[in-house]
């Protein structure tokens, strides 16, 4: 079955509101006629409202990069699903390796967040991936199995396909060391099979993205892979022209 690819730009902690406005005005005309691909920008919290307003009626969706699993509470510095929904945000990146490694985000919290996001009407992008040490030790599949099974643990079976899963080898994030097409395909197909084991048939529907040093030069090859349904793009998404080129490669590689 053909799955509509999703290309999501993870801005991380880049772009003030003024910079985001300039960027989106450069991006929108470049993707206005790109059919057959979903495009999202995952912006800092501070730029969400401005980007939702500036992209209304366009083919660009706006995602957050994280959220807390509780609806409200004494959690200084955090933002909840209802707060994102109020802004009309479409989805949220969950369990990014930078959140897990730098901010101690635990698998258990990520699993809770995935469920809460879905219940609130936000589309989650669940990030999974192995470290270089784990890959060298032959532990990639064990790590992916653990993160996928735990991340999807609370999701009702019939909603599993609403979670996009981003396979992001940690050694490829922000390093310029992209996975080979063989590595990306093998891992994406393994992730898809894990979803199939949770609910037969949904593996064909779930979107599996690749993330890790995707750029306009390598996107076409990665996005043409049978089990790769799009990309989560960090650095190369910060420039509107290169992000639009990656989205175009996803459209061309679909099917
Ligand atoms: C990311 O932030 O998820 C990412 C993949 O970053 P980069 O594209 O810069 O490697």
């Amino acid at each position: 079955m053909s799955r509509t690819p999703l290309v999501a730009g993870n801005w991380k902690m880049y772009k003030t509101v003024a910079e985001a406005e300039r960027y989106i005005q450069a991006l929108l005309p470049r993707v206005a006629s790109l059919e057959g691909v979903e495009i999202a920008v995952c912006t800092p919290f501070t730029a969400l409202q401005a980007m939702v307003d500036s992209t209304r009626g366009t083919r660009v969706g706006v995602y957050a990069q994280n959220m807390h699993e509780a609806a409200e509470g004494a959690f200084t510095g955090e933002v909840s699903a209802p707060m994102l929904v109020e802004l009309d945000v479409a989805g949220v990146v969950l369990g990014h390796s930078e959140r897990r490694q730098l901010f101690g985000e635990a698998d258990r919290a990520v699993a809770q967040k995935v469920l809460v996001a879905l219940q609130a009407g936000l589309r989650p992008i669940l990030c999974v991936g192995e470290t270089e040490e784990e890959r060298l030790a032959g532990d990639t599949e064990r790590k992916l199995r653990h993160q996928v099974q735990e991340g999807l643990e609370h999701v009702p079976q019939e909603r599993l396909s609403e979670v996009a899963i981003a396979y992001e080898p940690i050694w490829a994030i922000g390093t310029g060391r992209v996975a080979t097409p063989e590595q990306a395909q093998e891992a994406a197909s393994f992730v898809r099979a894990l979803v199939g084991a949770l609910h037969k048939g949904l593996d064909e529907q779930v979107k599996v993205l690749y993330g890790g040093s995707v750029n306009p030069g390598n996107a076409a090859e990665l996005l043409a892979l049978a089990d790769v349904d799009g990309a989560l793009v960090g650095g190369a998404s910060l420039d509107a022209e290169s992000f639009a080129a990656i989205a175009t490669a996803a459209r061309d590689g679909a099917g």
Side-chain angles (χ1 to χ4, degrees):
M1 91 173 262
S2 77
R3 295 171 291 269
T4 304
L6 167 64
V7 173
N10 175 22
W11 292 1
K12 314 191 187 205
M13 197 174 73
Y14 290 97
K15 296 195 191 296
T16 63
V17 175
E19 289 165 344
E21 286 291 5
R22 278 197 293 278
Y23 172 97
I24 210 72
Q25 296 315 325
L27 180 69
L28 290 176
R30 288 179 161 86
V31 299
S33 57
L34 261 195
E35 282 175 19
V37 53
E38 290 175 31
I39 302 168
V41 289
C42 313
T43 86
F45 289 131
T46 46
L48 287 172
Q49 182 71 73
M51 290 304 95
V52 166
D53 291 342
S54 294
T55 56
R56 229 179 269 286
T58 73
R59 47 183 66 252
V60 175
V62 177
Y63 281 46
Q65 299 173 13
N66 182 35
M67 59 168 227
H68 196 278
E69 61 272 28
E72 61 182 5
F75 302 109
T76 301
E78 293 288 325
V79 166
S80 72
M83 294 170 184
L84 297 177
V85 168
E86 185 187 40
L87 300 186
D88 240 355
V89 164
V92 58
V93 177
L94 295 173
H96 191 281
S97 64
E98 287 156 14
R99 299 285 331 159
R100 294 182 194 257
Q101 291 193 318
L102 303 176
F103 302 98
E105 195 155 304
D107 291 335
R108 188 170 299 182
V110 175
Q112 208 57 46
K113 290 177 186 200
V114 173
L115 174 65
V116 168
L118 280 175
Q119 288 174 334
L122 295 165
R123 297 180 53 197
I125 299 177
L126 169 65
C127 301
V128 299
E130 80 286 1
T131 62
E132 179 154 40
E133 293 69 38
E134 287 163 337
R135 175 162 283 271
L136 291 175
D139 265 349
T140 299
E141 292 197 349
R142 185 199 54 77
K143 176 75 172 293
L144 294 179
R145 183 181 300 109
H146 172 76
Q147 286 189 323
V148 170
Q149 289 178 346
E150 182 127 4
L152 299 178
E153 190 183 358
H154 306 304
V155 177
Q157 289 205 350
E158 69 280 5
R159 301 202 65 184
L160 279 173
S161 61
E162 296 172 47
V163 182
I165 304 175
Y167 166 62
E168 298 207 301
I170 295 169
W171 47 270
I173 297 180
T175 59
R177 282 180 57 204
V178 67
T180 65
E182 294 71 28
Q183 288 170 328
Q185 167 58 26
E186 188 179 38
S189 136
F190 182 70
V191 166
R192 188 177 307 289
L194 290 170
V195 175
L198 291 173
H199 191 96
K200 205 166 175 307
L202 287 188
D203 50 328
E204 285 299 313
Q205 293 175 34
V206 74
K207 287 190 215 297
V208 181
L209 317 183
Y210 168 78
S213 297
V214 175
N215 63 41
N218 60 31
E221 192 172 30
L222 290 161
L223 293 166
L225 296 170
D227 284 296
V228 172
D229 309 316
L232 184 56
V233 187
S237 76
L238 293 172
D239 175 73
E241 197 173 336
S242 76
F243 187 53
I246 294 168
T248 306
R251 191 267 319 266
D252 294 344

